[in-house]
Amino acid sequence: MGKLKGLEPERVFYYFEELSKIPRCSYNEKGVSDYIKSVGEKLGLETLQDDLLNVIIRKPASKGYEDSPGVIIQGHMDMVCEKDDRSGHDFTKDPISLIVDGDYILADKTTLGADNGIAVAMGLAVLEDNSLDHPSIEVLI
């Protein structure tokens, strides 16, 4: 069970926690890019990954929304990797150690990577949710 289990919206925090397990400093995005690509493929959606590791996942419009303007959700997969001088964290291999403190999610002596980790998590959660009526969606990471 994850540390963020039970937080709402559940699937957003599920994906945020999964992303936090993958080292993703700038210029070290292969692992996280491959993860995002795998999510799109598992959802059966058109998924493209380019040589620079950008990922595009497309979800067709719901019935009745085919003629509506599409929506693009964009975020970046990398994070600023800074740590406290007392931290032994190795950003090339260690997951981010998440801490839930009341209404806050923190990282243990490192940056959290939430500035766009949450955008990626939200995009993946929206793509996964088949209960939503929506125009075509394109998630660009």
Side-chain angles (χ1 to χ4, degrees), residues 5 21 36 45 52 66 84 102-103 118 122:
K5 187 161 180 64
K21 295 175 184 176
I36 294 165
L45 301 173
L52 297 175
E66 300 89 350
D84 185 291
D103 291 338
I118 200 69
M122 287 179 169

Side-chain angles (χ1 to χ4, degrees), residues 100-105:
V100 177
D101 183 9
D103 291 338
Y104 296 94
I105 300 170

Side-chain angles (χ1 to χ4, degrees), residues 34-122:
D34 288 348
Y35 170 75
I36 294 165
K37 178 179 179 246
S38 76
V39 171
E41 291 171 344
K42 286 178 188 168
L43 294 173
L45 301 173
E46 179 186 2
T47 303
L48 308 166
Q49 181 185 50
D50 69 16
D51 294 339
L52 297 175
L53 303 176
N54 299 297
V55 179
I56 298 172
I57 306 172
R58 294 185 177 115
K59 185 171 186 174
S62 301
K63 185 174 180 172
Y65 290 83
E66 300 89 350
D67 295 328
S68 299
V71 173
I72 296 174
I73 300 170
Q74 182 178 359
H76 62 84
M77 66 186 83
D78 64 330
M79 64 177 277
V80 174
C81 294
E82 295 290 333
K83 63 183 178 178
D84 185 291
D85 291 339
R86 299 167 290 158
S87 173
H89 188 88
D90 182 345
F91 282 107
T92 64
K93 64 179 182 173
D94 296 337
I96 300 299
S97 180
L98 301 174
I99 299 169
V100 177
D101 183 9
D103 291 338
Y104 296 94
I105 300 170
L106 311 166
D108 184 18
K109 298 183 190 84
T110 68
T111 49
L112 181 58
D115 67 325
N116 252 215
I118 200 69
V120 174
M122 287 179 169

